[in-house]
Amino acid sequence: MNFTTKIPISKSDKPIDYNSRIVSLGSCFAENMGEKFCYFKFQNIVNPFGIIFNPVSIENLISRVVTNKKFTEEDIFFHNDLWHCFEVHSALRHQNKEMVITNLNALIDSTHYQITNSTHIIITYGTSWVYRNEQSGKIVANCHKVMQSKFGKEILTVETIEKSIQNTIDIIRKINPYCAFIFTVSPVRHIKDGFVENQRSKSHLITAIHNLQFAIHNYFPSYEIMMDELRDYRFYAEDMLHPSQTAIDYIWVRFFENYISEENFSMMEEVCSIQKALSHRPFNPDADSHLKFISNLNDKIIRLQEKFPHFQF
């Protein structure tokens, strides 16, 4: 794809390489980018507490992790035959109460270690719209299909988001003063809020990030690339809301061109060739040509693993 106009993106002053340790947090687009990091064998942890869309919920989880504030019975509730937690994604629900608490607290420990030892934190914000639990008065990360009447819906102000982002940075800096931050806004449109409301939501996020002098220098415009470089419905999935795989691939290319060290591009090509070879299905698995192909492929993998032991194919 050739585009006559591209959004200018500043090169990172701390580029990502194969020795980097990345923690990706946020919306479902963070998962899309995380899959790319995993495909190319970068050291990357994605959303240990599941997909989280709004800045306040991300801040609250980060605060809990950094301060090592463990979950208790007061933080979970029983609904539809399962135990849930309003602070995390529904993927972490369980039919056993003790297991939910144990699993969540294990994630606090592992995420604390990951953030402490990370070189890069990538945060993808999805929406400014939040739901506040009427009983507790707290903003929830996920409603878990509890009756809508139990929540009040509101939009976070630019000032609130700005403060939340700064708090998130400051909290992480307490245990990792040298990690680099990359902020982005998800290109996924939240049309369930309404077309106008979605634009308003995204604009609040973008404005808040740009109000922070620190954050703007570490801003990757994934939302703007989707809206202005890929402004055609052929770049959307069937639901016309999520980016298609072609769009995800394009945005990824724009990302690694500016945020990944150029010295790693050749290694990425090698990893990609191995991944494609591993997905190859032979007509005759017992043929000499295929056995030789497998042997050469294993030699390549071993050679790369000697240089980067964390590579797992």
Side-chain angles (χ1 to χ4, degrees):
M1 290 177 289
N2 294 317
F3 295 87
T4 56
T5 302
K6 286 188 176 183
I7 296 169
I9 303 174
S10 299
K11 292 279 187 178
S12 173
D13 56 1
K14 189 177 180 181
I16 295 169
D17 59 32
Y18 273 110
N19 292 312
S20 299
R21 293 176 299 279
I22 309 156
V23 176
S24 299
L25 304 168
S27 77
C28 53
F29 190 70
E31 306 264 323
N32 296 142
M33 298 298 280
E35 288 174 2
K36 290 293 186 181
F37 279 120
C38 293
Y39 180 86
F40 287 100
K41 301 305 174 185
F42 287 91
Q43 300 179 82
N44 180 51
I45 301 298
V46 186
N47 283 338
F49 292 95
I51 295 170
I52 308 294
F53 294 97
N54 76 80
V56 171
S57 292
I58 292 174
E59 176 198 346
N60 290 341
L61 271 176
I62 292 297
S63 178
R64 184 182 280 277
V65 167
V66 170
T67 60
N68 199 32
K69 182 183 178 182
K70 295 298 175 64
F71 289 94
T72 67
E73 289 188 14
E74 295 180 355
D75 300 309
I76 64 175
F77 65 97
F78 193 69
H79 178 65
N80 286 342
D81 299 322
L82 293 168
W83 289 92
H84 309 260
C85 176
F86 280 128
E87 296 181 45
V88 303
H89 192 266
S90 58
L92 296 173
R93 63 192 176 184
H94 201 279
Q95 60 187 7
N96 183 280
K97 178 171 66 174
E98 287 72 24
M99 187 62 68
V100 170
I101 297 173
T102 298
N103 290 344
L104 290 176
N105 288 333
L107 284 173
I108 286 180
D109 293 335
S110 61
T111 306
H112 188 282
Y113 174 83
Q114 291 153 3
I115 289 177
T116 302
N117 292 279
S118 65
T119 59
H120 295 77
I121 306 286
I122 303 176
I123 301 179
T124 304
Y125 295 122
T127 183
S128 302
W129 289 102
V130 296
Y131 290 87
R132 190 179 295 274
N133 187 319
E134 298 284 10
Q135 182 177 358
S136 67
K138 296 179 180 179
I139 291 173
V140 302
N142 194 301
C143 293
H144 301 291
K145 297 184 178 180
V146 174
M147 287 189 300
Q148 202 70 31
S149 60
K150 301 292 185 181
F151 305 93
K153 184 178 179 180
E154 62 189 74
I155 190 167
L156 299 173
T157 65
V158 172
E159 292 75 17
T160 298
I161 298 169
E162 186 177 336
K163 183 178 179 181
S164 182
I165 295 172
Q166 188 63 62
N167 287 345
T168 301
I169 295 170
D170 293 341
I171 292 166
I172 292 174
R173 289 283 190 224
K174 290 181 180 180
I175 59 172
N176 189 343
Y178 303 111
C179 69
F181 287 87
I182 300 172
F183 295 93
T184 189
V185 172
S186 170
V188 178
R189 295 186 296 170
H190 293 243
I191 300 303
K192 67 178 182 179
D193 296 320
F195 286 93
V196 174
E197 289 78 4
N198 172 71
Q199 289 298 99
R200 183 181 170 200
S201 168
K202 300 292 188 183
S203 67
H204 280 208
L205 295 171
I206 294 168
T207 301
I209 293 172
H210 282 68
N211 281 349
L212 293 168
Q213 202 62 30
F214 171 82
I216 189 175
H217 292 299
N218 299 270
Y219 179 70
F220 174 65
S222 57
Y223 178 76
E224 292 83 350
I225 291 171
M226 190 72 202
M227 294 297 107
D228 296 316
E229 290 188 25
L230 306 178
R231 49 184 183 223
D232 191 302
Y233 274 112
R234 63 196 168 106
F235 295 114
Y236 284 89
E238 289 184 3
D239 64 3
M240 294 298 177
L241 302 176
H242 290 75
S244 67
Q245 190 59 53
T246 300
I248 292 170
D249 293 344
Y250 178 85
I251 295 172
W252 165 254
V253 170
R254 296 284 275 130
F255 179 89
F256 85 71
E257 286 176 340
N258 294 279
Y259 287 91
I260 294 178
S261 173
E262 292 183 13
E263 287 75 15
N264 288 261
F265 288 1
S266 60
M267 181 63 69
M268 291 174 68
E269 289 182 2
E270 284 194 61
V271 171
C272 185
S273 68
I274 290 175
Q275 295 281 43
K276 289 179 178 178
L278 288 171
S279 64
H280 173 70
R281 294 186 177 182
F283 290 109
N284 184 0
D286 299 320
D288 290 340
S289 58
H290 179 68
L291 295 176
K292 184 178 180 180
F293 170 80
I294 293 297
S295 177
N296 291 335
L297 182 60
N298 285 334
D299 289 343
K300 287 182 180 179
I301 292 174
I302 291 171
R303 178 172 56 81
L304 292 186
Q305 288 176 332
E306 289 174 350
K307 189 172 184 179
F308 297 104
H310 69 270
F311 279 15
Q312 297 295 323
F313 290 93

